[in-house]
Amino acid sequence: MSSSSVSDGILKLATQYSLYTGCVIFSFGVIGNVLNLLVFTQFKQFRTNRCAFYITIESISNLLYQFLTISLTILTSISGDDATGRFFIWCKFKNILAQICGLTTLYIICFSAVDQFFSTNHRFSLRQMCTLKLGRYFAFILICFVIIHSIALGSSFSVQPTLGCVLSNYVAVQYSTYFFYPVLIGVLPVVIASSFSILAYHNVRRIVRRQLPIVRRKLDKQITAMVLMRVIAFVFLLLPFITYRIYTINFPVSRSVPMTFAIGKLVQAILTSIYTINYVINFYLFIIFSSRFRRQAKVVLVKKCWQRWKYWCCSINNQIEPANIPETRNSQIESEENI
């Protein structure tokens, strides 16, 4: 068997792998992030919680990233590649949007960990320092920075005949090699998220000593545990991809070396799928590791969304219920939201 046929087979395997994993990840990602949005926006206790606000932003960013990845998957299934190596504008736009979603998600996770550290701190002044209004300001500043940064760096990508869509600017290559990948989306978010989530967990272990309402204590413990699990998954899913990206930027493989190029594409497909799980996993982590979140999700999805939808359908069919039934349901839901 010739090396060209082997390399073609590896490329086909990489394409098929990207197609199937892309569809599966997209399906789970859309479902999980939509459910996250429903729970964190509809459940009463989460509406004024800063960490829940950050998780909501993360879910929106994750959804955008999911639609980007599925578009790349569709292009790959149609033409054999994601078309970034053939279209100049698409090459830039894909990298800009991917960086916007990626940086937003990474640093919103950091914000969640930092916020939990402050909100569970034994010092009252530190707890009062962070407010929902301040959190919105920080989120706005972050998104503005991410957009500007992503446009600046993404514009440095160009299409090379043998290499495809790569960074062509020397300064951008050096910046990506020594700061962007190893620091900005590597060490910095990992250190911030890990450190503050561990500190928040340490704070929560002493939370019983403080004079706080029991509902607030339970919510702090729940959110801190959820953030800690999210950070652990985030670190393990991020590091392999970052290492690979640093390597490929410094040692791009030409299409003129078909075997090496094919193996690189397969490795890229595998590591990208692992990295993309970061944009899918949050809801499922919360459901698995937090029994309280499972009950809260049940209240929102079954007692709120399903009942509203059923009541709306009944209204369309002119099946009018007694006026006191919705009020009774609302009172029952409000009592269940204090679980």
Side-chain angles (χ1 to χ4, degrees), residues 63-64 86 101 133 169 235 239 245 295 305-306 314 318:
L63 276 174
L64 291 175
R86 291 181 282 117
C101 297
K133 185 177 181 180
N169 185 293
V235 171
L239 291 180
R245 285 296 296 165
R295 294 194 297 271
C305 297
W306 170 249
C314 291
N318 295 322

Side-chain angles (χ1 to χ4, degrees), residues 29-307:
V30 170
I31 293 170
N33 285 298
V34 168
L35 292 178
N36 246 5
L37 288 173
L38 285 174
V39 174
F40 284 102
T41 56
Q42 296 296 315
F43 199 77
K44 185 177 179 180
Q45 290 181 13
F46 290 142
R47 290 175 190 167
T48 56
N49 185 275
R50 296 183 304 276
C51 194
F53 167 71
Y54 292 135
I55 294 173
T56 302
I57 295 178
E58 182 195 347
S59 297
I60 295 171
S61 175
N62 291 345
L63 276 174
L64 291 175
Y65 191 85
Q66 291 303 313
F67 284 105
L68 172 64
T69 56
I70 196 61
S71 64
L72 297 176
T73 300
I74 292 171
L75 285 171
T76 301
S77 65
I78 294 173
S79 60
D81 59 35
D82 59 12
T84 54
R86 291 181 282 117
F87 298 101
F88 177 77
I89 299 297
W90 176 237
C91 169
K92 292 181 181 293
F93 179 76
K94 173 253 182 181
N95 284 285
I96 290 172
L97 186 57
Q99 288 178 34
I100 290 174
C101 297
L103 284 171
T104 301
T105 294
L106 296 188
Y107 281 94
I108 284 295
I109 293 172
C110 295
F111 281 14
S112 301
V114 173
D115 179 80
Q116 276 307 105
F117 166 73
F118 281 103
S119 64
T120 58
N121 199 280
H122 67 280
R123 296 181 182 177
F124 180 75
S125 58
L126 290 180
R127 296 202 305 273
Q128 291 294 102
M129 186 183 300
C130 291
T131 62
L132 184 58
K133 185 177 181 180
L134 185 63
R136 287 170 178 162
Y137 282 138
F138 280 139
F140 176 75
I141 293 170
L142 170 69
I143 292 171
C144 290
F145 167 77
V146 163
I147 291 173
I148 294 170
H149 177 278
S150 300
I151 291 174
L153 184 59
S155 300
S156 300
F157 281 85
S158 64
V159 177
Q160 301 292 330
T162 58
L163 299 176
C165 180
V166 294
L167 281 171
S168 57
N169 185 293
Y170 176 77
V171 175
V173 171
Q174 295 299 305
Y175 171 76
S176 297
T177 302
Y178 297 108
F179 183 76
F180 180 64
Y181 283 108
V183 178
L184 194 61
I185 64 172
V187 174
L188 187 60
V190 167
V191 170
I192 292 174
S194 302
S195 302
F196 280 96
S197 60
I198 292 171
L199 290 171
Y201 182 74
H202 178 70
N203 289 342
V204 157
R205 296 183 66 182
R206 301 184 301 175
I207 204 169
V208 291
R209 304 174 190 174
R210 301 208 312 263
Q211 297 297 321
L212 287 175
I214 187 169
V215 174
R216 170 67 189 277
R217 288 205 301 267
K218 286 182 177 180
L219 184 62
D220 282 341
K221 289 182 179 180
Q222 174 197 358
I223 294 290
T224 302
M226 288 163 56
V227 169
L228 180 61
M229 295 309 303
R230 180 69 182 95
V231 169
I232 292 172
F234 153 72
V235 171
F236 282 100
L237 293 171
L238 176 69
L239 291 180
F241 179 77
I242 296 302
T243 305
Y244 169 78
R245 285 296 296 165
I246 294 172
Y247 175 81
T248 54
I249 286 176
N250 287 278
F251 305 101
V253 179
S254 172
R255 296 175 186 268
S256 60
V257 189
M259 181 61 73
T260 308
F261 180 79
I263 294 173
K265 282 294 183 182
L266 180 60
V267 173
Q268 177 182 336
I270 294 171
L271 293 180
T272 300
S273 66
I274 294 172
Y275 169 71
T276 307
I277 295 174
N278 244 328
Y279 302 89
V280 175
I281 202 171
N282 51 4
F283 175 78
Y284 304 104
L285 279 177
F286 300 158
I287 283 288
I288 292 170
F289 291 101
S290 175
S291 59
R292 197 161 184 260
F293 184 79
R294 288 196 294 271
R295 294 194 297 271
Q296 291 162 341
K298 182 180 178 181
V299 169
V300 171
L301 300 177
V302 177
K303 303 293 178 65
K304 282 192 171 186
C305 297
W306 170 249
Q307 291 295 340

